[in-house]
Amino acid sequence: MAIILRLDRVMADHKISLNELSAKVGISNVNLSNLKTGKVKAIRFSTLDAICKVLECQPGDILEYKEDE
């Protein structure tokens, strides 16, 4: 896939745990873990919005495009 998720890096920069972020965003630990590890095919804009609000970041800080080789 050409979209790479960098949520783990942004979380580490903000020193926030998976449990803390999932509680603040309002999604389950399992869903957030899947998102963090890139095991998802889609993300809702409302979820992305909530994550960006909590982490005080831009969507481009979490999502990266890399052309397939």
Side-chain angles (χ1 to χ4, degrees):
M1 182 188 291
I3 303 295
I4 299 166
L5 293 164
R6 300 287 185 205
L7 182 59
D8 56 343
R9 182 186 64 193
V10 178
M11 287 174 61
D13 291 345
H14 286 82
K15 297 180 175 120
I16 189 168
S17 70
L18 187 72
N19 290 335
E20 186 178 355
L21 184 59
S22 69
K24 289 183 177 184
V25 170
I27 64 173
S28 71
N29 285 352
V30 172
N31 286 340
L32 189 59
S33 178
N34 286 339
L35 185 61
K36 182 180 167 189
T37 58
K39 295 179 182 176
V40 295
K41 295 195 183 271
I43 181 172
R44 292 176 187 229
F45 282 137
S46 58
T47 302
L48 184 59
D49 177 65
I51 291 171
C52 288
K53 281 181 185 174
V54 171
L55 296 177
E56 299 176 341
C57 67
Q58 294 294 313
D61 297 331
I62 297 171
L63 303 171
E64 179 182 328
Y65 174 76
K66 184 174 183 182
E67 193 164 339
D68 286 334
E69 296 176 5

